[in-house]
Amino acid sequence: MSLTKENYSKRLIDDKLSRYLKIFGAISIEGPKWCGKTWTSLNHANSVVYMTEKDKRDLARANPKYIFNSLRPELIDEWQLVPSIWDSVRHECDSDHNKGKFILTGSTTLTKKEKEEEVFHSGAGRIATLKMYPMSLYESGDSSGDISIIDMFNNKDIGKSVKKYELDELARLIIRGGWPENINTVLSDIDIIPSNYIETIINKDIHERKDHKRDSNKMRMILKSLARNESSPIGNDTIVKDIAEYESSDDLIESRKTIADYISALDALYLTANQEAYSINYRSSKRIGKSAKRHLVDPSLSCALLDLSVDKLMHDFNTFGLMFEALVERDLRIYMDYLDGHLYHFRDNASGDEVDAILEFKDGEYAAIEIKLNYRSIDSAKESLLKFYNNVSKKPRFMCIIVGNFSAIIKDEETGIYIIPITSLKP
């Protein structure tokens, strides 16, 4: 009795969810609102209960077992609205050790108080946690998947012509974002859902957590600063200075502690996806940058905050390049999560040497990736990668340049560096 929605588009997480339901008693899927958690879970569930319905919350608060039924897997959507559900699910999984009993979805983490008062067990061994993100280009059908990360990992020799996306087409993919409800929206309206998402965050979602009262105007300022610094490795002090430079307000944020608190609220809503620094023996490890690259979970949110349109991106190539980098790194994060790996970045503070993206695989191997919007920057990207290769003690498994408007998949004969358009990549 599948509850799959009509016109459901398969997601990369589907394969892992199917596999995990055979291993664990329950699966918890975490991710931002509107990224498709519920639809994907319905694709695997045989029954569902929505905690957004008041009568179901009242039942669960009386006793979470009142909402359990025998049609498994049972989806409990937005379970965190009644935190005691977690321990009840764990106990139910312990009762007979059968697998695939529950799928839990959540778009907000519990507060510290809720964890301390209502959750007494981590669920280790019973409840597995999966992260979900907006759609990658491969999932939305905007990448052909002619080459995969695994192809490059296995040193596949490839040369192939592929469809070339023009710059305005790439700009539209950035403005639209990976929100499932926005994939088939008419081009003239692709900015509406991301803009509405931002307003919902600022005026509603930040008030759902009861740990602190937060000001909507301050949250808007912080979000705009994060958008202006998209794809940049900065600390909270930089955000304070950035707000002081751009804003003139009686509510001007001066406290680093305030910044940290507001960003923690965004983290709790799964709206940030920061890219940590990669640790490796590169000349002197003392000089390796430690700051994470700042990202909102989808570049469309940054564009909405900065009131960017396709036309504005086309007339500001510096901003366009940063947003394209964010688009590529969003996809790489999704692909590496699918491959049980991790996404990092690298910077040597002394020399300024950097690599846009480091892909670390579960066996400890890694790849070095440079990201360029325009094919005219390929030569400089090669130089950066070769410099990194010569200065690092443990060599990358492969190196790659991901380009925007490019019409071929190439493995460079001289350097072995792959050159590919993002619209041809899959995991």
Side-chain angles (χ1 to χ4, degrees):
M1 180 187 152
S2 174
L3 301 177
T4 304
K5 291 281 189 179
E6 187 179 358
N7 300 322
Y8 174 72
S9 296
K10 182 175 168 57
R11 304 292 294 273
L12 288 171
I13 198 175
D14 277 312
D15 293 339
K16 186 175 284 190
L17 181 52
S18 293
R19 191 165 80 250
Y20 276 32
L21 284 169
K22 298 173 184 176
I23 300 172
F24 297 95
I27 311 297
S28 173
I29 302 179
E30 302 173 348
K33 292 180 179 179
W34 299 7
C35 75
K37 298 185 302 297
T38 303
W39 275 43
T40 290
S41 298
L42 288 170
N43 193 38
H44 299 264
N46 288 313
S47 62
V48 58
V49 57
Y50 297 100
M51 287 298 99
T52 49
E53 298 177 1
K54 185 179 183 303
D55 60 329
K56 303 301 183 187
R57 290 198 304 275
D58 290 342
L59 273 175
R61 284 174 181 140
N63 187 333
K65 291 189 177 182
Y66 290 161
I67 64 167
F68 293 171
N69 62 63
S70 59
L71 293 174
R72 306 289 172 80
E74 177 183 359
L75 166 59
I76 304 177
D77 195 50
E78 300 293 350
W79 72 269
Q80 80 283 347
L81 296 175
V82 184
S84 57
I85 287 173
W86 183 271
D87 278 341
S88 292
V89 165
R90 182 187 68 84
H91 285 301
E92 185 74 7
C93 291
D94 280 345
S95 65
D96 57 17
H97 301 288
N98 287 340
K99 309 303 180 185
K101 289 186 170 185
F102 297 96
I103 303 172
L104 311 177
T105 66
S107 54
T108 309
T109 63
L110 298 181
T111 64
K112 182 180 179 182
K113 183 178 180 181
E114 287 171 331
K115 288 179 181 177
E116 290 175 348
E117 295 182 356
E118 301 196 57
V119 177
F120 300 98
H121 196 284
S122 67
R126 287 87 160 181
I127 307 174
T129 299
L130 296 178
K131 290 287 182 69
M132 194 164 179
Y133 303 94
M135 284 179 139
S136 64
L137 295 181
Y138 181 62
E139 291 171 293
S140 64
D142 297 293
S143 170
S144 64
D146 283 308
I147 188 167
S148 69
I149 291 173
I150 293 302
D151 286 337
M152 293 185 283
F153 185 89
N154 291 330
N155 197 32
K156 182 177 181 179
D157 198 5
I158 186 169
K160 182 177 184 179
S161 295
V162 293
K163 176 185 174 181
K164 179 181 179 181
Y165 276 65
E166 299 300 334
L167 290 175
D168 62 329
E169 294 178 287
L170 294 169
R172 289 188 192 100
L173 294 177
I174 294 169
I175 298 293
R176 184 200 71 189
W179 311 105
E181 290 292 328
N182 212 24
I183 299 304
N184 296 315
T185 300
V186 296
L187 295 179
S188 59
D189 293 337
I190 55 175
D191 60 330
I192 293 176
I193 282 181
S195 295
N196 184 264
Y197 199 123
I198 291 297
E199 293 307 312
T200 302
I201 293 167
I202 292 170
N203 296 312
K204 181 181 178 183
D205 290 355
I206 64 167
H207 305 299
E208 289 184 356
R209 291 173 64 80
K210 308 302 182 184
D211 51 346
H212 294 293
K213 185 176 180 179
R214 297 179 178 90
D215 181 83
S216 296
N217 290 331
K218 290 182 178 179
M219 181 59 82
R220 189 183 297 276
M221 285 191 284
I222 289 170
L223 279 166
K224 282 189 174 184
S225 178
L226 290 172
R228 284 192 291 265
N229 291 287
E230 174 63 60
S231 303
S232 301
I234 61 165
N236 288 352
D237 289 338
T238 302
I239 297 176
V240 173
K241 293 176 183 176
D242 181 64
I243 291 171
E245 179 181 349
Y246 279 90
E247 303 292 339
S248 176
S249 168
D250 292 338
D251 295 324
L252 189 63
I253 298 169
E254 298 178 353
S255 166
R256 191 177 188 277
K257 185 177 179 181
T258 301
I259 295 286
D261 172 65
Y262 276 62
I263 290 178
S264 74
L266 296 175
D267 292 342
L269 292 166
Y270 304 104
L271 292 170
T272 55
N274 293 333
Q275 194 173 337
E276 299 299 325
Y278 189 61
S279 178
I280 195 169
N281 186 4
Y282 185 87
R283 299 174 180 163
S284 170
S285 60
K286 295 179 181 178
R287 306 188 306 189
I288 300 302
K290 304 299 182 185
S291 296
K293 282 171 72 169
R294 298 279 189 172
H295 292 294
L296 293 179
V297 74
D298 192 279
S300 64
L301 300 181
S302 294
C303 291
L305 284 157
L306 300 177
D307 194 27
L308 295 173
S309 63
V310 171
D311 188 60
K312 288 179 180 177
L313 285 178
M314 293 292 290
H315 288 87
D316 182 353
F317 265 64
N318 183 55
T319 301
F320 196 171
L322 290 172
M323 295 303 165
F324 176 72
E325 183 176 336
L327 175 77
V328 172
E329 287 168 345
R330 178 202 69 189
D331 282 12
L332 291 177
R333 181 177 298 105
I334 295 167
Y335 299 158
M336 290 309 293
D337 189 69
Y338 174 80
L339 296 172
D340 295 320
H342 300 281
L343 173 68
Y344 298 97
H345 78 99
F346 171 83
R347 181 178 177 84
D348 176 43
N349 285 335
S351 67
D353 296 346
E354 57 184 308
V355 177
D356 292 328
I358 298 288
L359 314 182
E360 185 180 55
F361 298 88
K362 58 184 178 180
D363 64 358
E365 296 277 6
Y366 76 97
I369 312 288
E370 279 289 279
I371 300 167
K372 298 297 180 185
L373 174 61
N374 198 295
Y375 68 90
R376 293 185 181 91
S377 301
I378 286 176
D379 287 342
S380 65
K382 281 185 187 178
E383 291 176 10
S384 295
L385 287 175
L386 291 174
K387 186 175 182 181
F388 172 81
Y389 186 91
N390 290 331
N391 287 322
V392 74
S393 58
K394 180 181 178 181
K395 306 303 182 186
R397 178 71 176 242
F398 68 87
M399 298 189 292
C400 176
I401 303 168
I402 296 179
V403 192
N405 63 329
F406 196 59
S407 60
I409 299 169
I410 297 170
K411 186 178 182 185
D412 186 64
E413 291 183 2
E414 183 180 351
T415 63
I417 295 173
Y418 287 95
I419 305 168
I420 66 170
I422 185 59
T423 48
S424 66
L425 185 63
K426 68 178 181 180

mmCIF file of all heavy atoms in Angstrom, residues 198-213:
data_model
loop_
_atom_site.group_PDB
_atom_site.id
_atom_site.type_symbol
_atom_site.label_atom_id
_atom_site.label_comp_id
_atom_site.label_asym_id
_atom_site.label_seq_id
_atom_site.Cartn_x
_atom_site.Cartn_y
_atom_site.Cartn_z
ATOM 1 N N ILE A 198 12.042 33.006 2.413
ATOM 2 C CA ILE A 198 12.762 33.916 3.296
ATOM 3 C C ILE A 198 11.808 34.634 4.236
ATOM 4 O O ILE A 198 12.068 34.752 5.446
ATOM 5 C CB ILE A 198 13.573 34.936 2.462
ATOM 6 C CG1 ILE A 198 14.727 34.246 1.728
ATOM 7 C CG2 ILE A 198 14.099 36.071 3.347
ATOM 8 C CD1 ILE A 198 15.761 33.624 2.638
ATOM 9 N N GLU A 199 10.695 35.123 3.717
ATOM 10 C CA GLU A 199 9.736 35.842 4.559
ATOM 11 C C GLU A 199 9.143 34.920 5.624
ATOM 12 O O GLU A 199 8.905 35.346 6.756
ATOM 13 C CB GLU A 199 8.629 36.448 3.695
ATOM 14 C CG GLU A 199 9.103 37.565 2.773
ATOM 15 C CD GLU A 199 9.860 38.647 3.536
ATOM 16 O OE1 GLU A 199 9.374 39.114 4.579
ATOM 17 O OE2 GLU A 199 10.969 39.012 3.072
ATOM 18 N N THR A 200 8.916 33.663 5.263
ATOM 19 C CA THR A 200 8.395 32.698 6.237
ATOM 20 C C THR A 200 9.410 32.442 7.341
ATOM 21 O O THR A 200 9.050 32.358 8.532
ATOM 22 C CB THR A 200 8.029 31.378 5.528
ATOM 23 O OG1 THR A 200 7.067 31.635 4.509
ATOM 24 C CG2 THR A 200 7.457 30.375 6.511
ATOM 25 N N ILE A 201 10.675 32.319 6.969
ATOM 26 C CA ILE A 201 11.734 32.136 7.975
ATOM 27 C C ILE A 201 11.739 33.302 8.957
ATOM 28 O O ILE A 201 11.737 33.120 10.179
ATOM 29 C CB ILE A 201 13.117 32.044 7.296
ATOM 30 C CG1 ILE A 201 13.252 30.783 6.470
ATOM 31 C CG2 ILE A 201 14.236 32.099 8.350
ATOM 32 C CD1 ILE A 201 14.449 30.794 5.545
ATOM 33 N N ILE A 202 11.749 34.512 8.418
ATOM 34 C CA ILE A 202 11.922 35.714 9.228
ATOM 35 C C ILE A 202 10.700 35.999 10.102
ATOM 36 O O ILE A 202 10.837 36.390 11.273
ATOM 37 C CB ILE A 202 12.238 36.923 8.318
ATOM 38 C CG1 ILE A 202 13.625 36.746 7.696
ATOM 39 C CG2 ILE A 202 12.163 38.240 9.097
ATOM 40 C CD1 ILE A 202 13.940 37.742 6.596
ATOM 41 N N ASN A 203 9.514 35.793 9.559
ATOM 42 C CA ASN A 203 8.299 36.206 10.266
ATOM 43 C C ASN A 203 7.607 35.092 11.032
ATOM 44 O O ASN A 203 6.756 35.374 11.880
ATOM 45 C CB ASN A 203 7.312 36.825 9.269
ATOM 46 C CG ASN A 203 7.856 38.100 8.643
ATOM 47 O OD1 ASN A 203 8.351 38.973 9.343
ATOM 48 N ND2 ASN A 203 7.783 38.188 7.319
ATOM 49 N N LYS A 204 8.000 33.830 10.755
ATOM 50 C CA LYS A 204 7.327 32.727 11.428
ATOM 51 C C LYS A 204 8.279 31.691 12.012
ATOM 52 O O LYS A 204 8.261 31.423 13.221
ATOM 53 C CB LYS A 204 6.352 32.045 10.464
ATOM 54 C CG LYS A 204 5.579 30.893 11.095
ATOM 55 C CD LYS A 204 4.643 30.234 10.094
ATOM 56 C CE LYS A 204 3.921 29.045 10.745
ATOM 57 N NZ LYS A 204 3.043 28.340 9.775
ATOM 58 N N ASP A 205 9.123 31.120 11.153
ATOM 59 C CA ASP A 205 9.901 29.953 11.576
ATOM 60 C C ASP A 205 10.837 30.233 12.738
ATOM 61 O O ASP A 205 11.036 29.371 13.602
ATOM 62 C CB ASP A 205 10.705 29.396 10.391
ATOM 63 C CG ASP A 205 9.820 28.733 9.345
ATOM 64 O OD1 ASP A 205 8.601 28.628 9.597
ATOM 65 O OD2 ASP A 205 10.326 28.339 8.289
ATOM 66 N N ILE A 206 11.444 31.425 12.791
ATOM 67 C CA ILE A 206 12.393 31.693 13.877
ATOM 68 C C ILE A 206 11.695 31.791 15.229
ATOM 69 O O ILE A 206 12.343 31.729 16.277
ATOM 70 C CB ILE A 206 13.218 32.976 13.630
ATOM 71 C CG1 ILE A 206 12.305 34.215 13.602
ATOM 72 C CG2 ILE A 206 14.057 32.848 12.382
ATOM 73 C CD1 ILE A 206 13.074 35.520 13.671
ATOM 74 N N HIS A 207 10.362 31.930 15.209
ATOM 75 C CA HIS A 207 9.620 32.043 16.462
ATOM 76 C C HIS A 207 9.086 30.696 16.937
ATOM 77 O O HIS A 207 8.485 30.617 18.013
ATOM 78 C CB HIS A 207 8.463 33.033 16.297
ATOM 79 C CG HIS A 207 8.898 34.388 15.813
ATOM 80 N ND1 HIS A 207 9.773 35.187 16.535
ATOM 81 C CD2 HIS A 207 8.603 35.069 14.681
ATOM 82 C CE1 HIS A 207 9.986 36.311 15.864
ATOM 83 N NE2 HIS A 207 9.299 36.265 14.743
ATOM 84 N N GLU A 208 9.276 29.640 16.133
ATOM 85 C CA GLU A 208 8.789 28.320 16.516
ATOM 86 C C GLU A 208 9.574 27.740 17.687
ATOM 87 O O GLU A 208 9.037 27.003 18.504
ATOM 88 C CB GLU A 208 8.850 27.366 15.328
ATOM 89 C CG GLU A 208 7.815 27.664 14.254
ATOM 90 C CD GLU A 208 7.827 26.647 13.134
ATOM 91 O OE1 GLU A 208 8.703 25.745 13.169
ATOM 92 O OE2 GLU A 208 6.982 26.747 12.235
ATOM 93 N N ARG A 209 10.856 28.083 17.746
ATOM 94 C CA ARG A 209 11.680 27.593 18.847
ATOM 95 C C ARG A 209 11.456 28.479 20.069
ATOM 96 O O ARG A 209 11.507 29.702 19.988
ATOM 97 C CB ARG A 209 13.160 27.592 18.453
ATOM 98 C CG ARG A 209 13.481 26.543 17.405
ATOM 99 C CD ARG A 209 14.896 26.674 16.900
ATOM 100 N NE ARG A 209 15.879 26.421 17.935
ATOM 101 C CZ ARG A 209 16.267 25.207 18.338
ATOM 102 N NH1 ARG A 209 15.733 24.141 17.808
ATOM 103 N NH2 ARG A 209 17.174 25.068 19.267
ATOM 104 N N LYS A 210 11.215 27.854 21.207
ATOM 105 C CA LYS A 210 10.833 28.598 22.411
ATOM 106 C C LYS A 210 12.013 28.882 23.337
ATOM 107 O O LYS A 210 11.833 29.365 24.446
ATOM 108 C CB LYS A 210 9.772 27.799 23.189
ATOM 109 C CG LYS A 210 8.572 27.360 22.347
ATOM 110 C CD LYS A 210 7.855 28.526 21.704
ATOM 111 C CE LYS A 210 6.632 28.054 20.915
ATOM 112 N NZ LYS A 210 5.961 29.140 20.202
ATOM 113 N N ASP A 211 13.251 28.603 22.867
ATOM 114 C CA ASP A 211 14.395 28.788 23.756
ATOM 115 C C ASP A 211 14.734 30.262 23.946
ATOM 116 O O ASP A 211 15.156 30.683 25.017
ATOM 117 C CB ASP A 211 15.618 28.015 23.231
ATOM 118 C CG ASP A 211 15.922 28.309 21.770
ATOM 119 O OD1 ASP A 211 15.056 28.891 21.085
ATOM 120 O OD2 ASP A 211 17.023 27.959 21.323
ATOM 121 N N HIS A 212 14.595 31.079 22.864
ATOM 122 C CA HIS A 212 14.875 32.513 22.951
ATOM 123 C C HIS A 212 13.902 33.273 22.075
ATOM 124 O O HIS A 212 13.425 32.763 21.066
ATOM 125 C CB HIS A 212 16.303 32.829 22.476
ATOM 126 C CG HIS A 212 17.382 32.268 23.339
ATOM 127 N ND1 HIS A 212 17.609 32.683 24.624
ATOM 128 C CD2 HIS A 212 18.297 31.296 23.084
ATOM 129 C CE1 HIS A 212 18.629 31.997 25.130
ATOM 130 N NE2 HIS A 212 19.055 31.147 24.210
ATOM 131 N N LYS A 213 13.638 34.517 22.441
ATOM 132 C CA LYS A 213 12.859 35.392 21.577
ATOM 133 C C LYS A 213 13.829 36.114 20.654
ATOM 134 O O LYS A 213 14.802 36.700 21.102
ATOM 135 C CB LYS A 213 12.064 36.405 22.405
ATOM 136 C CG LYS A 213 11.136 37.266 21.567
ATOM 137 C CD LYS A 213 10.301 38.192 22.442
ATOM 138 C CE LYS A 213 9.368 39.043 21.574
ATOM 139 N NZ LYS A 213 8.537 39.943 22.412
#
